[in-house]
Structures are given as structure tokens and as C-alpha cells.
Amino acid sequence: MTEPTLLIVFIAALVTALATGLGALPLLAARSMSGRALSMGNALAAGLMLAASATLVMEGFELSGPRTIGGIVLGVFAIWLVKKLLDRQGEVSLGDMQGADAMKVLMIMGVMTAHSAAEGIGVGVAFGGGRPLGDLITIAIALHNVPEGLAIALVMVPRGASVAKAGWWAIVSSLPQPLLAVPAFLFVLYFAPILPVGLGLAAGAMLWMIFSELLPEAQEDADNSTVAVVVTLAFAAMMAATLVLG
């Protein structure tokens, strides 16, 4: 097998980013959603993101527990600060979306972009360990990104975005992967120590989004028991997929 080159690393990371857009495709079958369906969508997104954050923490702990914990705290503080700054801006708009809907979409885009940055570094660091490891991590992240794209679409589509636009924004949120994979590959000794911080930061931001935004909204048109079942099943499915890919 050939040794990894800059082009191989970039293309591999680009594939992981493009895979995120596939997550929006299931919503082609449900262009409009009732209040209850929206609640279920938020619960499903929360479960998927909860599993993703748990996976990030586990990966981070394998590298450095203290740095991962520091990243979690930094991630929660960072997204809380961003939310405060957005609140002070007053009316927020994003395309056809206004107000609270636009703010929620901006928040999840920010969370997923932070997540993608950590994954991009992970791809580059993995290729620094050789082509076989890099290929394995690329495949795992690409498949892992599909349900993460679904989580983004579940927030965007019910608020007026088209499936195509949700898929596009899902890909945009993952662009840090090819952008950061190459420098991480080139300077693996410098990027490797910050990887657990990045993983923890993304996990912390996700946890804030789950408990501050997604779950409260999920409970607006569905009872707590149903929301809990959907979140748990989504979490279990995502963790099972992670186990298979691992």
C-alpha cells in the first residue's frame, strides 16, 4: 500500500465531509412535520448527538483525560458565551429563517463545525501513523458523519429549510475536516497534543445544545416518557454503529 500523500489525506477528509450531507436524504420522505413530529425529530437529534459526544469523550480519554475534561469545560463555556452574544444581537436571520429558528440553526451549525474540526485533526493525525490507520479512521468517520448530518437536517428542515439546503449546510459544517486534516498530517507532533482538547470541546458544546435547546423543545409537543424512549433508542443505535465501525 502506498504511503499517504497530501492529496490522499485531503481527499480522504473531503469524503468524510461530503458524507455528512447524506444525512439529510431521509427527510425527503417527510417535507412537512407536525408539532409532535418536530418534537420527535428534536429527540432523535438529541439522542444522536448524545452518542456522538460520548464517543468523542471516550476517544479523548484514550489520549488524555485531563485535556479532554478541560476541552469539555471550554466547549460549554464557549457555546454559552456565543449564545449570550447572539441574544444581544436581537433579531437573527439565516436565509428564510428568522428569530429563534435562525438562532437554533446557527447554534447547531457552530456545534457541528467544532465537532468537525476535531475530526479533521483526527484524520490528519491518523494518516500520520500510516496509510492503513488513516484509511480505517476515514471510513469510520465518514459513516459516523451520516447520522450527524441527519441531526443537522432534523433541526433545519422543520424550520423551513429545503432538504437540499440542509444537506449543503451539513457539508459546510464539515469543511474543517479537509482544511485541518492536511496541516495535522504535516505537523502531527504539534497537533496530536491538542486533539483531546478538541474532542472534549466538541463534546461539551454538543451536551450544552442537547440539554439547553433540543430536549426542552422536544418536550413541547410530546410527553417526557416518549421523548426519553426516542432519545435512548437513538443513542443506542448510534453507539451500536460506533461499536461496529470500531
Side-chain angles (χ1 to χ4, degrees):
M1 181 176 290
T2 60
E3 289 299 310
T5 63
L6 294 182
L7 181 60
I8 289 174
V9 173
F10 179 80
I11 291 175
L14 183 61
V15 168
T16 66
L18 294 175
T20 313
L22 298 176
L25 295 181
L27 292 186
L28 285 172
R31 294 178 182 275
S32 61
M33 300 179 74
S34 63
R36 180 174 174 80
L38 176 58
S39 290
M40 294 299 96
N42 281 314
L44 180 59
L48 294 174
M49 289 177 65
L50 186 61
S53 62
T55 302
L56 291 174
V57 171
M58 289 188 295
E59 291 175 358
F61 266 52
E62 291 180 0
L63 300 170
S64 171
R67 273 177 278 175
T68 303
I69 293 172
I72 294 172
V73 175
L74 181 62
V76 171
F77 177 75
I79 193 168
W80 173 83
L81 184 60
V82 169
K83 177 65 161 56
K84 291 294 184 183
L85 292 175
L86 287 175
D87 285 341
R88 291 180 181 177
Q89 294 298 317
E91 187 75 7
V92 178
S93 63
L94 181 66
D96 297 330
M97 290 170 282
Q98 303 288 331
D101 287 345
M103 184 175 296
K104 197 174 297 293
V105 170
L106 283 172
M107 296 295 289
I108 195 170
M109 286 292 296
V111 167
M112 288 306 192
T113 300
H115 180 193
S116 297
E119 288 184 339
I121 294 173
V123 170
V125 170
F127 272 107
R131 180 71 185 273
L133 177 61
D135 288 345
L136 177 64
I137 295 300
T138 296
I139 294 171
I141 289 179
L143 294 174
H144 184 73
N145 278 356
V146 176
E148 290 170 5
L150 175 60
I152 292 174
L154 285 168
V155 174
M156 292 191 67
V157 173
R159 291 172 173 81
S162 66
V163 174
K165 186 174 290 185
W168 166 250
W169 281 111
I171 293 172
V172 169
S173 76
S174 291
L175 287 182
Q177 290 173 18
L179 294 178
L180 288 175
V182 171
F185 170 68
L186 288 172
F187 305 103
V188 62
L189 293 178
Y190 297 97
F191 274 83
I194 68 171
L195 179 54
V197 178
L199 294 171
L201 188 151
M206 280 191 177
L207 290 171
W208 184 95
M209 188 74 189
I210 291 165
F211 294 108
S212 177
E213 301 290 332
L214 295 179
L215 286 181
E217 190 161 324
Q219 293 169 325
E220 289 181 1
D221 291 292
D223 60 271
N224 293 345
S225 296
T226 303
V227 170
V229 168
V230 173
V231 170
T232 303
L233 291 178
F235 176 86
M238 185 74 158
M239 293 303 292
T242 301
L243 182 63
V244 170
L245 294 174

